[in-house]
Amino acid sequence: MSYRRDNRASRSALFDNLDGIEEGGLRASSSYTDEQENDKSLNILQDKVVFLKRLTGDIHDEVQSHNRMLDRMGNGMDSARGIMSGTMDRFKMVFEKKSSRRTCKLVMYFVMSFFIIYYLFRFLMYYMYG
């Protein structure tokens, strides 16, 4: 359907150009201006393609840097998991012994009381000095 419409439009344009025949030859047709417009459009399109190529290159570089960062973070998490696993194993050993269990509870009470006193002192200082 569209092909027929385009074909009719090109036929009418061809017959319209026949009106340009004068006594001394052909009148200057609009093909030169059409060619200039096509060149301008082509240059604009080429600029857009170059811009998009540069943009995709920047996106690629950004993705590569994020992948490297995620790999480093994954390696750090793996090492932290190993350290945490070792620490948990040590806690298990300490809690299995009865005498060590008392010592551990004493240390935990001391740490908790330290934090309670610290935050209480901090709250009082904030309340007094604003």
Side-chain angles (χ1 to χ4, degrees):
M1 191 77 155
S2 175
Y3 173 73
R4 288 182 183 169
R5 203 174 308 141
D6 291 340
N7 193 13
R8 288 182 194 150
S10 64
R11 281 185 188 171
S12 65
L14 178 65
F15 289 118
D16 288 343
N17 285 338
L18 289 178
D19 293 339
I21 298 176
E22 292 180 349
E23 290 180 16
L26 293 173
R27 187 172 49 170
S29 68
S30 64
S31 65
Y32 181 72
T33 57
D34 289 342
E35 188 175 324
Q36 285 178 336
E37 288 177 17
N38 285 342
D39 287 342
K40 286 178 186 178
S41 298
L42 186 64
N43 287 336
I44 291 170
L45 184 62
Q46 185 178 10
D47 291 342
K48 288 181 181 181
V49 167
V50 168
F51 173 74
L52 288 175
K53 184 177 179 182
R54 206 174 317 138
L55 183 66
T56 55
D58 291 344
I59 290 171
H60 180 269
D61 293 342
E62 192 70 23
V63 167
Q64 291 292 340
S65 73
H66 282 120
N67 282 339
R68 284 191 297 272
M69 187 179 1
L70 287 172
D71 286 341
R72 284 193 304 261
M73 190 170 66
N75 292 338
M77 290 297 242
D78 288 342
S79 69
R81 184 179 297 135
I83 292 170
M84 194 63 125
S85 175
T87 304
M88 291 306 292
D89 290 342
R90 287 188 206 117
F91 270 125
K92 285 179 187 177
M93 284 177 32
V94 167
F95 279 120
E96 286 175 0
K97 298 179 182 176
K98 288 185 180 182
S99 63
S100 297
R101 188 179 299 165
R102 262 190 232 142
T103 308
C104 224
K105 284 182 182 179
L106 184 63
V107 168
M108 289 297 221
Y109 290 136
F110 177 73
V111 169
M112 286 174 41
S113 62
F114 173 77
F115 280 116
I116 290 170
I117 291 171
Y118 172 76
Y119 282 113
L120 184 65
F121 183 71
R122 190 172 170 190
F123 174 74
L124 288 174
M125 288 304 226
Y126 179 74
Y127 181 71
M128 290 174 60
Y129 296 111

